[in-house]
Amino acid sequence: MKKLKRIAVRLLSLTAALLLLPMAASAAGEIDLNRPVALTIQCSYGEEALTGITFQIYLVSTADKTGELTPTDAFDDYREELDIRGRNDDAWAAIAQKLEREILSGSLSQLQPTDSAETDGSGAAVFPSGAESLTPGLYLVMGTRTEKDGYVYTTAPFMALLPEQDMENNVWNYAVKANSKPQQNPLTADFQVIKIWEDACHVSQRPASITVQLVCDGQLYGQPVTLPCDGKWEYTWHALDVNHDWTVKESPVEGYKTPEIQRRGNTFRIINACNRAGASDEQENLPQTGQPWWPVPVLAAAGLLLIVLGLIRRKGAGNEEK
C-alpha cells in the first residue's frame, strides 16, 4: 500500500510539473513588436507559376506581445466573428469571404488596402512591397484573377497572422509564407446557388418560397429567381463570364436573420438562421478575443499539488501513529 502511495505521489508531482511547462513556454514566446514582419505569397497552379496577379492585404486586427488580437477601427463591427480561438479552416474561409464581399461592394467599399504586391516570374508576391513596414496582426489577403491559355485563374481570400506561431518549436515566425491555391476554370462557367435552412425550431413556419438575385460586379444581373425551383432549393445559371465578380443576394425573409452567403468555387450557399422566440443559438460559445487562458493550467496544477500535499500529510500521520 505504501509503495502504491509513493508511486501516486510521484505521478501527480510529474503531472503538475508538466502542466506548468506550457506557461513557461508561453512566457518565453512573446512577440517582439519591434521586429519586422513579412509575408510571401506563392501563386502557382501545378508546376506553373502565375505571374501578374495582384494581391492586396488589409490589416484586420493588431496583435500585442502575447498574441492577443484587437480589431482595427474599420473592422470593429466584426469583432465577434474575428475571434481567432477555436476557429477551424472552414470558419476562417467563410470570414475571409464575407470581408471580401464587404470590401468589393459592401460597407467597406471605400477602404484602402494596407499594401499591395504583384506576383513576379516565380509566382511570388512579397510584403511589405515598399519602404513601409507591416504592423503585427491579422490580415485579410485578396487576389485578382488572371487569364492564360483559355483559362481563368482565381484565388480565394484568406486570413494571415503576422507573425504566426510555430507550435512545434514554440517560437514566432516573423517571415510567413503562404500558398494561395488558385483555381482553374474555363472563361465561362456554370454557377449554382443552394438554400440552407437552420430552423429546426420552427420548420413549419418556413416560407413557401424565397427570391434570389444574381449580382455581377456589384450590380443586379438578370431576373430574380424563385426557390424552390423544380421542387429543389437550388438553381444553376449557365455559361456566365468568369471575368466578372459574381455573387447573390436574397430578399428579406420574415422570422430569419440576415442570410450568410458562402462561396465554394462556383457554388453559393445561402444560410438562413431562425430568429424567432425559442430558437437556439447554434454557434459555439467560443472565448472572446483577449480572454486570458493562463489561469487554466495554473489552477489545474494547483489542484494536483494540493492532492499531493494531502497524500504526503496522510503518509506522515500514519508514520507518527506507528
Side-chain angles (χ1 to χ4, degrees), residues 11 26 28 34 37 39 77 90 93 99 112 171 174 186 203 245 252 254 266 271 293 312 322:
L11 287 175
S26 177
N34 295 318
V37 293
L39 172 65
D77 289 343
D90 287 340
L99 295 181
Q112 297 299 311
V171 296
Y174 293 82
V203 175
D245 180 64
E254 184 179 356
N266 291 340
I271 303 173
W293 281 70
I312 293 174
K322 293 181 179 179

Side-chain angles (χ1 to χ4, degrees), residues 10-269:
R10 290 172 182 171
L11 287 175
L12 288 171
S13 299
L14 178 60
T15 303
L18 290 175
L19 280 172
L20 290 173
L21 281 178
M23 279 191 57
S26 177
E30 290 185 346
I31 297 175
D32 182 356
L33 299 178
N34 295 318
R35 184 172 174 179
V37 293
L39 172 65
T40 299
I41 302 172
Q42 185 65 45
C43 189
S44 301
Y45 188 82
E47 299 297 325
E48 185 176 10
L50 298 179
T51 62
I53 294 182
T54 299
F55 283 94
Q56 296 178 331
I57 62 174
Y58 296 81
L59 179 61
V60 173
S61 300
T62 58
D64 65 13
K65 63 181 181 179
T66 65
E68 299 295 344
L69 298 173
T70 302
T72 58
D73 291 342
F75 293 92
D76 191 61
D77 289 343
Y78 308 91
R79 176 179 294 270
E80 292 187 4
E81 297 171 89
L82 291 170
D83 180 4
I84 195 171
R85 299 187 192 276
R87 297 287 187 180
N88 57 28
D89 290 343
D90 287 340
W92 275 115
I95 293 170
Q97 290 178 16
K98 179 176 182 178
L99 295 181
E100 181 187 52
R101 289 194 301 270
E102 294 298 322
I103 289 173
L104 291 177
S105 59
S107 61
L108 300 174
S109 59
Q110 303 302 313
L111 185 64
Q112 297 299 311
T114 305
D115 197 359
S116 63
E118 188 175 285
T119 55
D120 57 19
S122 65
V126 181
F127 297 91
S129 61
E132 294 292 332
S133 59
L134 297 179
T135 300
L138 182 67
Y139 287 81
L140 169 67
V141 181
M142 296 168 46
T144 59
R145 52 174 58 86
T146 188
E147 292 181 27
K148 189 173 184 179
D149 300 329
Y151 290 93
V152 62
Y153 297 87
T154 58
T155 59
F158 62 93
M159 311 301 289
L161 184 62
L162 307 180
E164 67 177 2
Q165 189 173 15
D166 181 344
M167 301 300 293
E168 182 177 351
N169 300 309
N170 193 42
V171 296
W172 291 98
N173 176 19
Y174 293 82
V176 177
K177 295 182 179 180
N179 293 316
S180 64
K181 299 179 181 178
Q183 291 185 339
Q184 182 195 65
N185 291 294
L187 293 178
T188 61
D190 295 344
F191 287 77
Q192 182 185 41
V193 62
I194 299 175
K195 180 67 177 179
I196 297 175
W197 297 98
E198 292 184 352
D199 59 354
C201 54
H202 291 84
V203 175
S204 61
Q205 299 182 40
R206 180 183 300 174
S209 64
I210 61 163
T211 301
V212 177
Q213 175 68 59
L214 188 62
V215 180
C216 177
D217 297 332
Q219 303 296 320
L220 302 183
Y221 183 90
Q223 296 300 315
V225 173
T226 299
L227 298 181
C229 179
D230 295 332
K232 298 181 179 180
W233 290 95
E234 58 186 58
Y235 183 82
T236 300
W237 293 274
H238 299 283
L240 297 181
D241 187 347
V242 297
N243 284 302
H244 296 279
D245 180 64
W246 298 98
T247 187
V248 294
K249 64 182 301 184
E250 178 190 76
S251 298
V253 180
E254 184 179 356
Y256 290 82
K257 300 177 183 178
T258 301
E260 177 184 355
I261 300 175
Q262 299 179 356
R263 179 173 178 177
R264 295 290 187 275
N266 291 340
T267 298
F268 300 100
R269 302 169 75 240

